[in-house]
Amino acid sequence: MDKNVENVIQPNKKYFTCDICGEIFYQKLLLEIHFQTHKKGKSYSCYVCNKGFSQKNNLNQHLLTHTNEKPFSCDVCHRGFSQKISLNRHLRTHTNEKPFSCDVCQKGFTQKGNLNQHLRTHTNEKPFSCNVCQRGFSQKSNLNQHLRTHTNEKPFSCDECHKGFSIKGHLYRHLRTHTNEKPFTCDVCLKGFTQERCLNQHLRIHTNEKNFLSDVYHESFSQKSHLNQHHRTHANEKLFSCDVCHKGFSLKSNFNRHVRTHSNEKPFSCDVCHRRFSDKSDLNRHLRTHTNEKPFSCDVCHRGFPRKSNLNQHLRTHTNEKPFSCDVCHKDFPDKSSFNQHLRTHTNEKPFSCDVCHKAFPDKSSLHRHLRTHTNEKPFSCDVCHKGFSEKSSLHRHLRTHTNEKPFSCDVCQKGFARKDKLNQHLRTHTNEKPFFCDVCHRSFSQKINLIRHLRTHTNEKPFSCDVCQRGFAQKGNLNVHFRTHTDDKPFSCDNLGKCFSRKCDLNQHYRMHIK
């Protein structure tokens, strides 16, 4: 008799041996049940799906899957199970009992099947193979998930937004975007995460751990995905291609964001104002406009910023760094957005158009400011006189009328100005520079507004009209003077005689009579 068999036989006890496989039983009934597993035939058949079973109790357990009957209940959480063995496995989640241990690394498991799957990580055994691409897998569940990449099957659907997923775990992670549940918390800064993987990646920020080293470029990274992304920047490899415009991307996240520019999909919504965004990072930045959070701070002047890009731009005001240079006029700029806006002054490109009047603008911010002329929206209000303004810069200029602040000073005559554009106009009185030319008569002007007024002498355009007599005027100032003929308003008075005039030029002529 085999020594292994002798070791398990209990002395002085009758036993029964299977003639086919040699397995030992101490009850004849158990041997007979076992013997059915060797028979090719399956005596017991399910009347619902006709599946065959060699043992009656296996059939009975199977029938519960059709009736959804769960006679075995957990005393702790009251969850129901169709089989007692399933209940026993579940109970270990409460007791944390792990009776199955790996002989190689001593890791414990609650189920024998999990141990068997784990052992393949040591043997590198992959018994489950894909029929399409022949890729091997250590677990059957992984193979089933992989097969859906070929069939594009997504059997797990979100009840909230009806988005489909090929893996049930991905659905659970997605559901947290609706519930905002973040079950994984950082012990250092208490930041919450929806996935354990994201928490582990975040923890490396605190430990400064960088386990992934590039053999080629000798740089280390805290995440393997960052290492792979870094390699693609050197290889110029672009794995992800857009089906619409065929633009290539090295990062899947950038590819996904780009795809939404074609579909105009905006899956991320603000809970405060319900504005929607195509990218989650844009939503996070937008939320700071409600919370006034400014997590990025300048080390020099300690000013806070809601975006890191804004901080980087601000730092250049301290270093006077201007890394973006125009190839046409060689003018330098501290940030890329200003540089791109400047380039459009050469190309005269105006990609942003108003839906109301179809007027085009070279940058998006100018379009937003213009839209307020249609809505008459004035979101910026003066705390002193409560006057409203459509632009924040206009409010800042207005505030100087209360403080009499003149922060812009002429280097030649030290005259101060409340606005920079007024200083620039003034400087031309010293340089006699007249950069604005009339295309009709070639007369030049130091200010653009003067050119615009002059052009009306050629076109005979009179955009300012009197509400009383409908007489037109080329300049608003002339309209204001004319309007006083209807109201008999005379705001200019002589300090000596008290005589009043409707026009300042008439008062000046009157003063000359005193001099004579």
Side-chain angles (χ1 to χ4, degrees):
M1 187 178 289
D2 191 283
K3 284 186 177 181
N4 292 329
V5 176
E6 289 177 353
N7 290 334
V8 298
I9 294 176
Q10 298 180 17
N12 303 322
K13 192 167 184 179
K14 187 177 180 180
Y15 59 88
F16 303 91
T17 305
C18 175
D19 295 333
I20 299 174
C21 66
E23 190 170 350
I24 295 170
F25 299 89
Y26 292 100
Q27 294 182 31
K28 191 173 182 180
L29 177 62
L30 295 178
L31 172 62
E32 291 174 353
I33 293 171
H34 165 76
F35 195 72
Q36 295 293 327
T37 62
H38 293 298
K39 290 184 178 181
K40 290 184 179 179
K42 294 183 178 181
S43 308
Y44 305 98
S45 178
C46 173
Y47 64 87
V48 179
C49 63
N50 299 318
K51 186 175 181 179
F53 297 89
S54 58
Q55 299 179 31
K56 191 173 183 178
N57 64 325
N58 290 346
L59 170 62
N60 291 336
Q61 290 174 5
H62 166 78
L63 287 171
L64 297 176
T65 63
H66 294 299
T67 62
N68 202 27
E69 183 184 355
K70 296 179 179 180
F72 305 99
S73 176
C74 174
D75 293 333
V76 180
C77 64
H78 309 294
R79 184 177 171 185
F81 297 89
S82 58
Q83 299 181 32
K84 192 172 184 179
I85 191 170
S86 299
L87 170 62
N88 291 336
R89 284 197 295 261
H90 166 77
L91 287 171
R92 293 180 192 132
T93 62
H94 296 298
T95 62
N96 202 27
E97 181 189 1
K98 295 179 180 180
F100 306 99
S101 178
C102 174
D103 294 333
V104 179
C105 64
Q106 283 72 50
K107 186 175 180 180
F109 297 89
T110 56
Q111 298 183 37
K112 192 173 184 179
N114 294 345
L115 170 62
N116 292 336
Q117 292 173 5
H118 166 78
L119 287 171
R120 295 183 191 125
T121 63
H122 295 298
T123 62
N124 202 27
E125 181 188 1
K126 296 180 178 180
F128 305 99
S129 179
C130 173
N131 295 327
V132 181
C133 63
Q134 282 71 51
R135 184 178 171 184
F137 296 89
S138 59
Q139 300 180 34
K140 192 173 183 180
S141 59
N142 292 345
L143 170 61
N144 292 336
Q145 291 172 9
H146 166 78
L147 287 171
R148 295 181 192 128
T149 62
H150 295 299
T151 62
N152 201 28
E153 181 188 1
K154 295 180 179 180
F156 307 101
S157 177
C158 173
D159 294 334
E160 187 79 21
C161 64
H162 309 295
K163 186 175 180 180
F165 297 88
S166 58
I167 301 174
K168 198 171 187 178
H170 292 176
L171 169 62
Y172 288 147
R173 287 199 295 264
H174 167 79
L175 287 172
R176 294 181 189 133
T177 63
H178 295 298
T179 62
N180 203 28
E181 181 190 1
K182 295 179 179 180
F184 306 99
T185 305
C186 173
D187 294 332
V188 180
C189 64
L190 307 180
K191 185 175 181 181
F193 297 88
T194 57
Q195 300 180 40
E196 188 175 14
R197 172 180 58 83
C198 296
L199 170 61
N200 292 334
Q201 291 173 1
H202 166 80
L203 287 172
R204 296 186 191 122
I205 297 172
H206 297 297
T207 61
N208 201 27
E209 181 185 357
K210 295 181 178 180
N211 295 332
F212 303 98
L213 178 67
S214 171
D215 296 332
V216 182
Y217 307 106
H218 308 292
E219 290 187 56
S220 57
F221 299 87
S222 59
Q223 299 180 35
K224 191 173 183 179
S225 59
H226 291 175
L227 171 61
N228 294 336
Q229 291 167 10
H230 174 75
H231 280 157
R232 291 184 200 129
T233 60
H234 290 292
N236 200 26
E237 184 182 1
K238 295 182 178 179
L239 301 178
F240 309 98
S241 177
C242 175
D243 294 334
V244 180
C245 64
H246 309 294
K247 186 175 180 181
F249 298 88
S250 57
L251 304 180
K252 192 173 184 179
S253 57
N254 292 344
F255 167 67
N256 291 336
R257 281 197 293 267
H258 168 80
V259 166
R260 295 184 195 122
T261 63
H262 295 299
S263 64
N264 202 28
E265 181 188 2
K266 295 180 178 180
F268 306 99
S269 175
C270 173
D271 294 332
V272 180
C273 65
H274 308 295
R275 184 177 171 186
R276 303 192 70 85
F277 298 87
S278 59
D279 190 62
K280 193 173 184 180
S281 59
D282 291 336
L283 170 61
N284 291 336
R285 285 194 291 265
H286 165 79
L287 287 172
R288 294 181 191 132
T289 63
H290 296 298
T291 62
N292 202 28
E293 181 189 2
K294 296 179 179 179
F296 306 100
S297 177
C298 174
D299 294 333
V300 180
C301 64
H302 308 295
R303 183 178 171 186
F305 297 88
R307 300 186 185 186
K308 193 173 184 179
S309 59
N310 293 345
L311 170 62
N312 292 336
Q313 291 174 11
H314 165 79
L315 287 172
R316 295 182 190 128
T317 62
H318 295 298
T319 62
N320 202 28
E321 181 188 0
K322 295 181 179 180
F324 305 97
S325 180
C326 175
D327 293 333
V328 180
C329 64
H330 308 294
K331 188 174 180 180
D332 297 323
F333 297 87
D335 57 89
K336 195 170 184 179
S337 60
S338 301
F339 170 62
N340 289 336
Q341 288 175 16
H342 167 78
L343 287 177
R344 295 183 190 124
T345 62
H346 296 299
T347 61
N348 202 28
E349 182 188 1
K350 294 180 179 180
F352 304 97
S353 178
C354 174
D355 294 333
V356 180
C357 64
H358 308 295
K359 186 176 180 180
F361 298 87
D363 56 88
K364 201 170 186 179
S365 58
S366 298
L367 171 61
H368 287 158
R369 287 194 295 267
H370 165 79
L371 287 171
R372 295 184 190 128
T373 62
H374 295 298
T375 61
N376 202 27
E377 181 188 1
K378 295 180 178 180
F380 307 101
S381 178
C382 174
D383 294 333
V384 180
C385 64
H386 308 295
K387 185 176 179 180
F389 297 89
S390 59
E391 298 181 31
K392 197 172 185 179
S393 58
S394 300
L395 170 62
H396 288 158
R397 287 195 295 265
H398 165 79
L399 287 172
R400 294 180 191 131
T401 63
H402 296 297
T403 62
N404 202 29
E405 181 189 3
K406 296 180 178 180
F408 306 100
S409 178
C410 174
D411 294 333
V412 180
C413 65
Q414 282 71 51
K415 185 176 180 180
F417 297 88
R419 294 165 54 172
K420 193 173 182 179
D421 59 329
K422 297 297 182 185
L423 170 61
N424 292 336
Q425 292 172 8
H426 166 79
L427 287 172
R428 295 183 192 125
T429 62
H430 294 297
T431 61
N432 201 29
E433 182 187 1
K434 296 181 178 180
F436 305 100
F437 289 89
C438 172
D439 293 333
V440 181
C441 65
H442 308 294
R443 186 178 170 185
S444 59
F445 298 87
S446 60
Q447 298 181 33
K448 191 173 183 179
I449 186 67
N450 293 341
L451 170 61
I452 292 171
R453 289 173 186 150
H454 165 78
L455 287 172
R456 293 181 189 133
T457 62
H458 295 297
T459 61
N460 202 27
E461 182 188 3
K462 295 179 179 180
F464 305 100
S465 177
C466 175
D467 294 334
V468 179
C469 64
Q470 282 73 49
R471 184 177 171 185
F473 296 89
Q475 298 182 34
K476 192 173 184 179
N478 294 343
L479 170 61
N480 292 336
V481 171
H482 162 80
F483 198 72
R484 295 184 192 124
T485 62
H486 296 296
T487 61
D488 201 29
D489 182 24
K490 296 180 179 180
F492 306 100
S493 64
C494 174
D495 295 333
N496 296 326
L497 303 176
K499 190 174 182 179
C500 296
F501 302 89
S502 60
R503 299 189 304 176
K504 194 173 183 179
C505 61
D506 294 336
L507 173 62
N508 291 336
Q509 288 177 6
H510 171 77
Y511 275 139
R512 293 187 194 109
M513 294 178 63
H514 288 299
I515 296 172
K516 290 179 182 179

